[in-house]
């Protein structure tokens, strides 16, 4: 868990360094080389509605690092939350992500992967707002520290078009 906290701190510090005069950073501001060590557990989530109202189909996984492919046991990029999770988990994530959009602030938590049958695996997650115009959140930068045992060892970073 301590390693997960340190990696979250790295990502948070990087995100904070991109903010200028109270404006949120945009996806275009991100330099993958600056967070190279963390890329396997980085994700980008599209915000499909300006007011998501805790609805799972208001968010789509744009990019998922290689360790996330392994943790989820398959491809999650290009899918909305309700296409990735069971209904209770989709609701959990929709609420957590709606907070990021509406409050324009980071959010953090711990979530069990037991819903996937991976009882020994949890995500210590961090979600950070991104805004093309510096104000309205249209994408979310995610970082997940995997805690426990990963059942399926597959890899591949894929981006939804």
């Amino acid at each position: 868990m301590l390693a997960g906290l340190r990696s979250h701190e790295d990502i948070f510090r990087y995100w904070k360094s991109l903010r200028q005069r109270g404006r949120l950073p945009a996806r275009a501001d991100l330099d993958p080389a600056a967070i190279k060590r963390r890329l396997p557990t980085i994700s980008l989530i599209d915000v499909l509605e300006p007011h998501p109202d805790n609805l799972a189909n208001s968010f789509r996984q744009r990019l998922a690092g290689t360790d996330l492919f392994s943790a989820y046991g398959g491809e999650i990029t290009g899918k909305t939350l309700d296409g990735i999770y069971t209904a209770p988990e989709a609701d959990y994530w929709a609420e957590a992500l709606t907070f990021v959009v509406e409050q324009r602030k980071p959010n953090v938590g711990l979530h069990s992967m037991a819903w996937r049958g991976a009882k020994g695996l949890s995500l210590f997650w961090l979600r950070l707002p991104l805004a093309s115009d510096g104000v309205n959140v249209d994408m979310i930068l995610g970082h997940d520290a995997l805690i426990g045992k990963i059942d399926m060892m597959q890899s591949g970073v894929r981006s939804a078009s």
Side-chain angles (χ1 to χ4, degrees), residues 4 10-12 28 58 60 66 70 108 113 123 139 142 145 147 161:
D10 288 349
I11 296 300
F12 180 78
S58 296
R60 181 182 63 206
T66 55
S70 299
V108 65
M113 295 293 282
L123 294 179
M139 188 170 281
I147 300 168
S161 47

Side-chain angles (χ1 to χ4, degrees), residues 31-113:
D31 176 10
I35 53 174
K36 184 178 178 180
R37 286 186 21 207
R38 306 297 181 206
L39 289 178
T41 52
I42 289 289
S43 63
L44 290 174
I45 302 159
D46 288 324
V47 178
L48 303 176
E49 300 291 333
H51 303 287
D53 297 324
N54 297 329
L55 298 174
N57 62 359
S58 296
F59 302 95
R60 181 182 63 206
Q61 192 72 43
R62 168 146 311 264
L63 177 104
T66 55
D67 284 358
L68 301 179
F69 183 88
S70 299
Y72 283 87
E75 187 59 69
I76 61 172
T77 55
K79 296 180 181 180
T80 58
L81 298 179
D82 51 0
I84 298 171
Y85 302 101
T86 62
E89 278 69 32
D91 291 344
Y92 169 88
W93 285 109
E95 185 176 333
L97 297 176
T98 295
F99 173 89
V100 174
V101 173
E102 291 177 354
Q103 300 300 313
R104 302 176 57 239
K105 293 181 179 178
N107 200 357
V108 65
L110 183 67
H111 190 70
S112 171
M113 295 293 282

Side-chain angles (χ1 to χ4, degrees), residues 6-17 35 38-39 42 126 128 141-143:
R6 285 188 186 124
S7 64
H8 278 3
E9 287 173 344
D10 288 349
I11 296 300
F12 180 78
R13 256 192 308 273
Y14 173 68
W15 172 84
K16 191 174 176 182
S17 76
I35 53 174
R38 306 297 181 206
L39 289 178
I42 289 289
L126 173 66
L128 303 163
L141 171 63
H143 179 263

